[in-house]
Amino acid sequence: MSRTATTTCLVLVLGGAALLAVLNLALPADAPLHVPTYTVSLAGKYLSYAMLAVAVDLVWGFAGILSLGHAAFFALGGYAIGMYLMRQIGTRGVYGNAILPDFMVFLNWKQLPWYWHGFDNAFFAIVMVLLVPGLLALVFGWLAFRSRVSGVYLSIITQALTYALLLAFFRNDMGFGGNNGLTDFKDVFGIPLHLDATRDGLLAASAVFLAVELLIARYVVTSRFGKVLIAVRDTESRTRFLGYRPEAYKLFVFVLSAVMAGVGGALYVLQVGIINPSEFSPANSIEAVIWVAVGGRGTLVGAVLGAVLVNLGKTYFTGALPELWLFALGALFILVTLLLPDGLLGLARRRPRAAPAGPAPEPEPAE
Amino acid sequence: MILLRVLLLLIAICPLAARADDDPFAGLAGGYEDIRRAVDALALSGNPHAEPAVAALQAGTLFVAPDRSLWIRQDGTLTNARTGDPGTPDGDLKRVRVNNAVRRSIEAAMGALTLFSHDPARRMKAAADLFAQHDAAALPALDRALANEQDPAVRTALQQARAAALLSAGTAPVPDRLAAIAVLRARGDLDASNLLASLSGQPPAVAAAASAAVTAIARVQQLWALVQAVFYGLSLGSVLLLAAAGLAITFGVMGVINMAHGEMVMLGAYTTFVVQQVIATSLPALSGVGVLLAVPAAFLVAGAVGIAIERLLIRFLYGRPLETLLATWGLSLALQQAVRSIFGASNRNVTTPGWMSGAAEWGGLTITFNRLYIIVFAVLVLVALMAVLRFTALGLQMRAVTQNRRMAAAMGIRTPWIDALTFGLGSGVAGMAGVALSQIDNVSPNLGQGYIIDSFMVVVFGGVGNLWGTLVSALTLGIVNKFLEPLAGAVLAKILVLVLLILFIQRKPRGMFPLKGRAVEA
Amino acid sequence: MIHNDTLLYLDGVTVSFDGFRALNALSLVLERGEMRAVIGPNGAGKTTMMDVITGKTRPDSGKVVFGEATDLTRLDEPAIASLGIGRKFQKPTVFEPHTVWDNLLLALAGDRRPRFTLWARQSAEEGERVEAILQTIRLAEHRGRRAGDLSHGQKQWLEIGMLLAQEPQLLLVDEPVAGMTDAETEQTAELLREINRTRSVVVVEHDMAFVRALGVKVTVMHEGAVLSEGSIDHVSADPRVVEVYLGR
Ligand SMILES: Nc1ncnc2c1ncn2[C@@H]1O[C@H](COP(=O)(O)OP(=O)(O)O)[C@@H](O)[C@H]1O
Ligand SMILES: [Mg+2]
């Protein structure tokens, strides 16, 4: 099941992206099947969200770590590429300063802060897209898993982490553009961002990166490592008495997942053209979790499905019925957890589970 | 300024001037030069009617009758400037005119005249002005004012002004200067310290005393700043405590991760708004105590919503904390949107009753009343909560159910009811917190969002299931935050506290005061 | 007191929870190759003793020496497990979503580090070892089933099988026959004796018939300390034991 599902998903993602790109590029704007560039970018955005969702599923579905701060890694990846794009603007900014981004000129800064150095180099920026989220996850995870913080406690401190970053990035003196974030990008690798072909290329790149991410994630969870990880998720202490170090396993997937989220964030910023502190908001992280829950936790493919479906819904609602969107999202959270614990893929799979209709389970003291 | 000096010098020779002209008012009926001199004389006279007369002259409401009697016109009635008695002059009144020289004299005179005003508040102000000017020329006037002064507060102010003037004079004998330094040191504020620090060319003994006084004042100031920070910290801590108290029940005691907890707070704040509206339209007599009425109302509203949530949602998710977290988050989104749809997205205005607004100063400490009441309220809520858990049948059954559910059920306790009531209690407490927060925060649909992370941090930091821990934790976090603020700024302080908390929880995952036992480890 | 053939040595181990002493200066010596039955009323501290040996609980005082001179109180659970101490819990705990085969494969002695398991492929030798254990624990025909779908007794055996796969020098077994049928109990005793041919075993058990069937030296614990020690007949005759345990 899972293998065919993965294959189907890869075909759909890659084929769908290619189709959209071709229909956008090859057909004239008035052709009936022409896909507007707006749609291409939207699809690319969904795919970068799907990358975040797969990253969340990797830790939540397979290691039992309900991270409520994964949007932080996503946003950090986004900021890393955003800094590169910012420096690419060069003299084309409003103030025409070759070195300093507009907001720094506006703040009367005289020189580039040290942590902005190197971001004029695309290779350096790409390394940072991987490194910054990875390092944060490494430090945070090392501290958390070593002291055996788990369950809701871990969830709460991951949420606090992203909240702290949200507050930090709102500050102007942090040097990341404060409230407004980074925007007005002109080109990437020397290619103008506004061109249709660039958009199509970015969509294709998102599809490829998502596919690679899915394959890596699938390799990890089906390897012996993945089996240990699932064992850790369900019976952590047993694995310890078998001689495994759960903290090492958790740390590895946590870092891997953070890096994946960071790559998703970078692709996101390339396609939406802006990154600001609101991407760190705790609500974003939780929304990513619900994508996974909708699609089916612990299935990877479900994460992609959930991310795309929920965001299609969001696009529709916020356009047509903006007041109802939060009701719909709220109801989704409630209904999925109550009625669809295995998500949409679980609905298809339907293996007999511990009777959901049985007597209500009993409350237990907090873990 | 120079004029003032001249004037004050004149005051110094005041007894002489007084003898020179027995009726200081007389000149006002004369030419400009006479008027000018009369004004100067009045300024020194200590005559209680001098000030209104000069003020009237300044305002252009002083008139002279053909018999040279002087009249002040105010609101159409005339009073005799010499006696202050109302009356009717004979013949036509002529306005007393002024030129620039006179005008300058008037201005200077008004400053000194207030030193002898009837009104203690004005005398106080005059003394404070003279302190700020610390001009040696003011000494004789101050001495005279001191000789007559009865009001102790004004006396103190005058003495301080005199001390300041005396130190600036540079001619007073050393023991007098030392006494003056002592007076300033006792005053103990930043102005006194600045004045002492600016002294130059003093004899060594005086200079040493001055610098010692500066240090002493700095120490006192630091102490006050500390006390003020503690007060701010307690205030913030009490807000955190209020926000977290309900969560200490639902999360701490029951183990339910209620992400809609903040929305219970928000509902409490909106209940306050509604209660206030109802009172304003139908029971205006009660408007002063609207906030008090809102407390039980908010408890009932939020508590009822809490019971409904428990029965309709949470009871299906017991033992699945992560699912509970997601479902209640969804609920919180829906509740926010519901409130936004009903009341609109903008902030609602909840007025603070008179008895809750204002502030008191106490030494270097400023205490705003609404903050003070919130501290008191937070303590009351916590005490009430502890009493309910400790002394009521509900509390006993609650503890029984959370400690050993099966045993409690076997003993005939209706555990589902207890679950619902416990959750209702926690939610109701959150609602009461909303009443308090409506006084200091914007009543908007997002109100609760701002508190949810903080509340969880407070409960976890204090040790889950431990109300005392929650208290200590909330106050500690509040105070730490306020102590960091001057060093790092408000936002950075908050970030630092969050980071410290994250690190702390990783060191001690069960908080400061963990509950022990096997049940916890499961 | 410590011979060369002493495998495990507990000396004055004390553990208290909020002032309550779960273990009270407990001392115990286990020879290499020995099987020891530990009995005692509920709350005597038997499980806590296992917690201390396996590193789950740190004692307030006392020493736990394994082999030549390894102080177990300084190590954590994975380190102790890697030294060759396996533990079976009171409640059977297996990896429910995995197959019986995978459960055993994960338990096989070998490199436990992520960088190994990430690339590990099942070797022929590993396959043989799993196969052999499947025979020993009589679950060969269930190899492909989800462990969560096994019966209670089968899970108990699977867990014992996982311990064997770990190839420990010492096995700690907590109430292995609780909830088993008589036939299963019989088979379990047989299995333990078989295991004991190559390894040392400590069995905690309530079931007196089972302990008698094992026919090994018995330690009776009470209130966190050793009350009596010797053959089953010896301890059964001890009046203190009769009073606190058997007499009820
Ligand atoms: N983590 C713990 N916290 C508090 N008390 C504990 C803990 N672990 C064990 N105990 C107590 O220690 C005593 C011994 O327990 P245990 O070792 O499980 O006994 P046995 O296994 O012999 O029945 C019991 O009274 C138990 O309640
Ligand atoms: Mg036991």
Side-chain angles (χ1 to χ4, degrees):
Chain A
M1 159 83 202
S2 185
R3 163 164 266 155
T4 51
T6 310
T7 318
T8 318
C9 180
L10 289 180
V11 168
L12 283 177
V13 166
L14 291 169
L19 187 68
L20 287 179
V22 167
L23 290 181
N24 170 256
L25 209 55
L27 295 181
D30 50 1
L33 281 179
H34 172 80
V35 171
T37 309
Y38 166 76
T39 311
V40 169
S41 285
L42 203 60
K45 187 170 102 172
Y46 293 167
L47 292 190
S48 54
Y49 281 150
M51 295 188 70
L52 173 60
V54 171
V56 170
D57 195 22
L58 191 56
V59 287
W60 185 35
F62 297 91
I65 303 165
L66 178 55
S67 166
L68 298 184
H70 250 54
F73 304 124
F74 185 79
L76 285 174
Y79 266 98
I81 203 76
M83 287 163 80
Y84 162 73
L85 296 174
M86 225 42 198
R87 300 222 37 200
Q88 287 302 104
I89 297 173
T91 52
R92 286 166 294 174
V94 176
Y95 296 108
N97 190 312
I99 305 289
L100 296 187
D102 276 351
F103 72 87
M104 290 188 195
V105 182
F106 183 75
L107 289 175
N108 251 326
W109 290 16
K110 294 298 169 230
Q111 56 185 5
L112 210 57
W114 60 266
Y115 46 84
W116 273 77
H117 286 285
F119 276 96
D120 48 340
N121 179 312
F123 180 72
F124 179 84
I126 290 171
V127 170
M128 286 298 141
V129 165
L130 308 174
L131 206 59
V132 173
L135 268 181
L136 178 65
L138 185 71
V139 172
F140 183 86
W142 186 74
L143 288 168
F145 302 138
R146 195 188 45 138
S147 43
R148 301 191 187 174
V149 183
S150 63
V152 291
Y153 290 88
L154 188 61
S155 302
I156 291 170
I157 61 170
T158 52
Q159 189 173 33
L161 172 75
T162 191
Y163 185 55
L165 284 168
L166 170 77
L167 294 175
F169 274 74
F170 263 122
R171 287 161 46 87
N172 274 331
D173 11 344
M174 274 286 285
F176 295 108
N179 204 357
N180 301 321
L182 312 176
T183 187
D184 287 334
F185 308 135
K186 305 290 187 220
D187 47 32
V188 58
F189 312 141
I191 309 163
L193 273 167
H194 66 269
L195 295 182
D196 283 0
T198 316
R199 301 293 174 148
D200 297 325
L202 284 171
L203 172 63
S206 304
V208 170
F209 274 104
L210 176 59
V212 171
E213 183 188 0
L214 263 176
L215 288 174
I216 293 177
R218 208 183 122 68
Y219 173 80
V220 168
V221 302
T222 50
S223 71
R224 191 179 293 182
F225 175 97
K227 286 175 181 155
V228 177
L229 198 62
I230 291 171
V232 165
R233 176 193 69 189
D234 293 346
T235 345
E236 178 167 336
S237 70
R238 191 82 196 80
T239 58
R240 216 173 258 139
F241 290 114
L242 274 183
Y244 290 100
R245 294 199 171 274
E247 57 273 19
Y249 282 77
K250 289 182 180 179
L251 188 58
F252 178 85
V253 271
F254 194 62
V255 172
L256 178 66
S257 161
V259 171
M260 289 173 165
V263 174
L267 285 161
Y268 171 83
V269 169
L270 283 168
Q271 294 175 91
V272 301
I274 179 167
I275 174 83
N276 61 33
S278 67
E279 298 296 335
F280 283 105
S281 83
N284 283 20
S285 294
I286 301 195
E287 237 177 279
V289 172
I290 206 63
W291 304 337
V292 176
V294 166
R297 175 188 171 194
T299 60
L300 297 178
V301 173
V304 177
L305 181 70
V308 173
L309 284 184
V310 175
N311 280 295
L312 272 174
K314 182 173 188 169
T315 306
Y316 167 75
F317 268 105
T318 47
L321 303 159
E323 300 85 53
L324 292 189
W325 165 239
L326 280 185
F327 284 128
L329 186 62
L332 196 62
F333 271 97
I334 295 170
L335 295 179
V336 166
T337 44
L338 276 187
L339 306 176
L340 215 60
D342 291 324
L344 291 173
L345 286 196
L347 208 59
R349 193 174 32 186
R350 260 293 169 235
R351 66 170 294 122
R353 268 183 74 96
E362 297 168 341
E364 274 162 27
E367 293 180 50
Chain B
M1 196 66 224
I2 292 173
L3 261 171
L4 185 71
R5 291 186 70 134
V6 173
L7 185 79
L8 289 164
L9 269 172
L10 278 173
I11 293 177
I13 50 162
C14 164
L16 219 145
R19 222 175 295 126
D21 190 349
D22 282 343
D23 179 10
F25 288 93
L28 291 178
Y32 287 133
E33 185 53 25
D34 294 334
I35 295 174
R36 199 187 59 73
R37 242 185 263 133
V39 168
D40 289 350
L42 279 170
L44 323 172
S45 65
N47 185 318
H49 302 297
E51 197 224 327
V54 178
L57 181 63
Q58 188 175 32
T61 53
L62 185 70
F63 295 87
V64 59
D67 63 353
R68 300 177 74 85
S69 64
L70 293 156
W71 299 87
I72 298 171
R73 182 187 296 184
Q74 199 177 14
D75 307 329
T77 62
L78 291 167
T79 46
N80 189 312
R82 278 192 181 80
T83 61
D85 299 328
T88 329
D90 302 324
D92 285 344
L93 289 180
K94 232 177 70 196
R95 188 188 303 266
V96 181
R97 294 175 174 281
V98 296
N99 65 3
N100 276 342
V102 176
R103 218 170 269 127
R104 254 173 277 142
S105 271
I106 291 174
E107 266 161 32
M110 284 309 290
L113 274 171
T114 47
L115 212 47
F116 301 97
S117 160
H118 276 310
D119 181 357
R122 302 196 60 182
R123 296 204 299 277
M124 195 75 180
K125 167 110 181 29
D129 289 347
L130 287 175
F131 177 87
Q133 287 156 3
H134 53 87
D135 191 326
L139 268 177
L142 284 165
D143 280 334
R144 272 196 56 194
L146 261 173
N148 297 330
E149 188 58 61
Q150 301 298 325
D151 186 319
V154 181
R155 265 194 90 77
T156 311
L158 285 171
Q159 267 155 358
Q160 289 166 355
R162 182 178 178 280
L166 185 129
L167 284 171
S168 311
T171 51
V174 169
D176 285 4
R177 289 195 221 179
L178 290 178
I181 287 174
V183 169
L184 292 184
R185 178 172 171 161
R187 177 177 162 125
D189 68 352
L190 219 56
D191 293 335
S193 155
N194 288 342
L195 196 136
L196 286 168
S198 70
L199 291 181
S200 59
Q202 302 285 342
V206 178
S211 81
V214 169
T215 331
I217 290 174
R219 216 175 297 126
V220 170
Q221 286 293 317
Q222 263 170 11
L223 216 64
W224 281 121
L226 206 73
V227 174
Q228 183 77 63
V230 169
F231 175 73
Y232 285 143
L234 284 179
S235 161
L236 176 63
S238 64
V239 169
L240 290 175
L241 177 61
L242 277 171
L247 204 66
I249 300 292
T250 53
F251 177 53
V253 177
M254 297 181 76
V256 173
I257 319 297
N258 181 19
M259 296 300 273
H261 173 79
E263 278 56 48
M264 302 294 110
V265 176
M266 184 260 293
L267 286 182
Y270 273 92
T271 306
T272 315
F273 169 71
V274 170
V275 166
Q276 199 174 70
Q277 293 301 102
V278 170
I279 285 179
T281 52
S282 47
L283 293 162
L286 292 179
S287 64
V289 292
V291 175
L292 297 185
L293 295 180
V295 172
F299 179 82
L300 292 178
V301 169
V305 173
I307 289 179
I309 294 174
E310 200 278 341
R311 284 290 87 189
L312 296 176
L313 179 61
I314 287 173
R315 78 183 163 114
F316 300 108
L317 295 169
Y318 281 130
R320 292 158 62 194
L322 301 183
E323 279 86 348
T324 313
L325 190 159
L326 295 178
T328 51
W329 176 266
L331 186 71
S332 82
L333 295 181
L335 282 173
Q336 280 172 42
Q337 185 58 46
V339 168
R340 196 172 290 124
S341 301
I342 298 171
F343 293 95
S346 54
N347 295 347
R348 290 281 132 180
N349 186 22
V350 170
T351 50
T352 304
W355 53 270
M356 270 186 76
S357 39
E361 296 226 5
W362 187 59
L365 182 68
T366 310
I367 293 177
T368 40
F369 289 138
N370 60 352
R371 295 272 170 183
L372 188 64
Y373 280 112
I374 286 177
I375 295 178
V376 173
F377 183 63
V379 171
L380 287 181
V381 166
L382 195 77
V383 168
L385 204 52
M386 283 178 172
V388 166
L389 288 185
R390 190 101 190 72
F391 300 117
T392 66
L394 175 67
L396 183 66
Q397 298 188 346
M398 234 177 244
R399 282 180 292 144
V401 169
T402 48
Q403 274 161 24
N404 191 335
R405 162 169 305 269
R406 225 160 271 139
M407 181 70 95
M411 292 178 62
I413 296 175
R414 292 169 61 193
T415 54
W417 250 120
I418 298 300
D419 290 336
L421 288 181
T422 312
F423 198 81
L425 176 68
S427 304
V429 169
M432 296 203 291
V435 179
L437 295 187
S438 74
Q439 299 297 318
I440 53 169
D441 203 341
N442 297 329
V443 179
S444 79
N446 302 330
L447 171 79
Q449 288 251 292
Y451 291 98
I452 184 72
I453 293 180
D454 289 340
S455 306
F456 269 106
M457 292 307 240
V458 166
V459 175
V460 173
F461 181 51
V464 165
N466 185 335
L467 278 181
W468 282 112
T470 306
L471 172 73
V472 175
S473 153
L475 297 185
T476 312
L477 291 182
I479 290 175
V480 168
N481 207 326
K482 286 298 169 186
F483 270 68
L484 283 177
E485 265 181 27
L487 306 177
V491 180
L492 209 55
K494 189 159 171 71
I495 297 172
L496 281 175
V497 169
L498 277 176
V499 171
L500 287 178
L501 269 177
I502 291 173
L503 292 178
F504 177 87
I505 289 172
Q506 293 179 331
R507 283 213 67 75
K508 296 191 77 175
R510 311 218 173 276
M512 286 190 290
F513 307 104
L515 294 185
K516 298 202 181 108
R518 268 193 185 163
V520 189
E521 283 176 16
Chain C
M1 181 89 194
I2 305 175
H3 308 276
N4 277 344
D5 49 359
T6 296
L7 182 64
L8 182 71
Y9 172 42
L10 273 69
D11 185 15
V13 173
T14 299
V15 172
S16 43
F17 298 106
D18 293 330
F20 169 76
R21 291 204 163 179
L23 291 185
N24 193 359
L26 174 72
S27 297
L28 191 117
V29 178
L30 189 76
E31 303 293 313
R32 209 175 280 277
E34 185 185 351
M35 164 137 63
R36 175 75 59 89
V38 177
I39 61 173
N42 256 327
K46 306 180 295 290
T47 303
T48 307
M49 176 188 78
M50 294 207 167
D51 287 347
V52 168
I53 298 171
T54 53
K56 181 165 185 250
T57 302
R58 248 171 240 296
D60 303 334
S61 62
K63 271 196 307 189
V64 183
V65 181
F66 181 66
E68 299 297 315
T70 315
D71 185 359
L72 296 184
T73 58
R74 297 175 189 284
L75 303 175
D76 66 351
E77 300 102 309
I80 291 173
S82 308
L83 279 178
I85 298 183
R87 173 173 188 183
K88 201 205 137 315
F89 287 87
Q90 208 162 327
K91 201 176 121 212
T93 35
V94 295
F95 304 136
E96 308 225 333
H98 292 321
T99 59
V100 170
W101 182 278
D102 281 347
N103 267 275
L104 293 172
L105 186 66
L106 292 184
L108 278 186
D111 196 336
R112 256 54 168 146
R113 289 171 307 175
R115 76 183 79 144
F116 173 78
T117 54
L118 202 50
W119 312 112
R121 291 268 165 271
Q122 183 186 315
S123 66
E125 191 241 333
E126 282 176 330
E128 282 160 25
R129 280 161 66 198
V130 171
E131 194 65 50
I133 294 165
L134 277 176
Q135 300 302 332
T136 314
I137 58 172
R138 304 180 177 88
L139 287 176
E141 62 270 41
H142 298 287
R143 70 185 67 199
R145 282 181 73 192
R146 241 178 114 254
D149 297 340
L150 296 178
S151 76
H152 179 79
Q154 287 169 327
K155 281 185 194 169
Q156 296 275 33
W157 283 338
L158 175 56
E159 200 182 1
I160 293 175
M162 289 164 73
L163 288 189
L164 289 177
Q166 234 181 310
E167 295 180 3
Q169 299 181 57
L170 171 64
L171 250 85
L172 307 173
V173 189
D174 204 350
E175 308 207 12
V177 297
M180 280 192 178
T181 63
D182 282 354
E184 282 174 332
T185 304
E186 184 64 32
Q187 286 174 339
T188 306
E190 178 61 33
L191 185 59
L192 285 178
R193 271 196 299 271
E194 207 174 298
I195 291 167
N196 183 226
R197 276 202 274 277
T198 48
R199 311 171 200 290
S200 312
V201 181
V202 174
V203 192
V204 164
E205 193 43 74
H206 270 302
D207 187 327
M208 288 315 286
F210 177 77
V211 173
R212 199 169 281 281
L214 287 178
V216 296
K217 188 172 171 185
V218 177
T219 297
V220 184
M221 280 182 68
H222 178 54
E223 291 177 352
V226 173
L227 187 69
S228 179
E229 211 165 67
S231 71
I232 181 77
D233 293 325
H234 170 81
V235 299
S236 315
D238 188 327
R240 286 173 306 171
V241 176
V242 174
E243 187 186 336
V244 303
Y245 185 56
L246 302 171
R248 286 188 295 171

